[in-house]
Amino acid sequence: MAHLKSAVVGLGFMGGTHIEMLRRIGVEVVGVVGASREENEAACSQFSLPNKYTVFEDVCADPEGDVIHI
């Protein structure tokens, strides 16, 4: 099975749960995007994520990710 990398869009009620679930099944989370820069920064800090997107288009343009988890 290939090693997948995913970005997560949406950091509301279930965002953190989805990040943890992806990690548990072996999917590397390469970044997140939420409703605000502050929300993004907090999630990146909390979950030790390597990069921060500012808008959804940034997620789509990133060649590092294989899938987008919404």
Side-chain angles (χ1 to χ4, degrees):
M1 180 157 131
H3 176 76
L4 292 176
K5 295 181 180 182
S6 177
V8 173
V9 174
L11 297 169
F13 180 69
M14 293 298 293
T17 302
H18 286 264
I19 292 167
E20 291 298 330
M21 179 273 310
L22 287 166
R23 287 178 167 173
R24 288 180 187 180
I25 62 171
V27 176
E28 180 182 350
V29 178
V30 296
V32 296
V33 67
S36 69
R37 181 170 24 131
E38 294 79 14
E39 187 177 53
N40 296 346
E41 290 173 357
C44 286
S45 176
Q46 178 181 355
F47 295 104
S48 301
L49 295 169
N51 65 347
K52 303 168 199 152
Y53 303 114
T54 55
V55 294
F56 179 71
E57 289 79 7
D58 294 343
V59 177
C60 296
D62 185 0
E64 185 179 4
D66 300 305
V67 297
I68 300 171
H69 188 90
I70 300 175

